[in-house]
Amino acid sequence: QEQLADSGRGLVQAGGSLRLSCAPSGRTFNRHAIAWFRQTPGKEREFVAAMSWSGLYTKYADSVKGRFTISGDNAKNTVYLQMDNLKLEDTAVYFCASGPVFDQRTVQSWKIYSYWGQGTQVTVSS
């Protein structure tokens, strides 16, 4: 069974950068869509970015477009979320997830993803 490990937690000042990593434990990614979501207390899990494992397709939430980049490294079997120009409102627990199909119409819904990482805290300070 695929399990995901997400990492890269950190405290960073507004305007700074941080990179998160996600890798399946012990196996290669065997799903076609890998995504990042984030969540703050009392709020629903929010879509951040997604990519097809082939790397051909990506999608971003409007709130992070132009600042965050999702990418994959096949050799390392790892997906990254590069976060630049971080803002206070980016503070959240970030989760990676993998799902069966990359579909532009549904990729933003957490419901399509079968496997999740444990979450990693990102805190942006002023």
Side-chain angles (χ1 to χ4, degrees):
Q1 183 176 4
E2 181 176 292
Q3 291 183 332
L4 304 181
D6 41 29
S7 60
R9 66 185 298 163
L11 171 64
V12 62
Q13 284 191 321
S17 297
L18 199 63
R19 189 177 76 165
L20 305 181
S21 302
C22 176
S25 55
R27 300 180 63 88
T28 58
F29 275 110
N30 60 4
R31 297 295 184 271
H32 297 290
I34 296 91
W36 289 94
F37 287 76
R38 64 188 182 188
Q39 191 169 24
T40 53
K43 292 191 176 181
E44 199 168 284
R45 199 161 290 192
E46 176 191 19
F47 172 77
V48 175
M51 63 174 283
S52 59
W53 185 231
S54 66
L56 290 176
Y57 307 104
T58 58
K59 191 175 183 73
Y60 295 91
D62 289 342
S63 59
V64 306
K65 205 171 290 183
R67 300 188 298 119
F68 290 13
T69 304
I70 187 171
S71 63
D73 185 328
N74 287 337
K76 296 183 177 179
N77 197 33
T78 300
V79 171
Y80 302 101
L81 183 68
Q82 177 66 40
M83 304 184 292
D84 298 318
N85 190 21
L86 281 159
K87 302 178 179 181
L88 297 178
E89 52 264 40
D90 294 320
T91 295
V93 176
Y94 284 72
F95 299 86
C96 68
S98 64
V101 178
F102 185 95
D103 185 330
Q104 291 280 359
R105 297 167 297 178
T106 60
V107 74
Q108 293 176 278
S109 172
W110 60 268
K111 297 177 182 179
I112 72 163
Y113 295 93
S114 306
Y115 301 101
W116 292 83
Q118 76 282 3
T120 187
Q121 177 69 47
V122 172
T123 302
V124 183
S125 65
S126 58

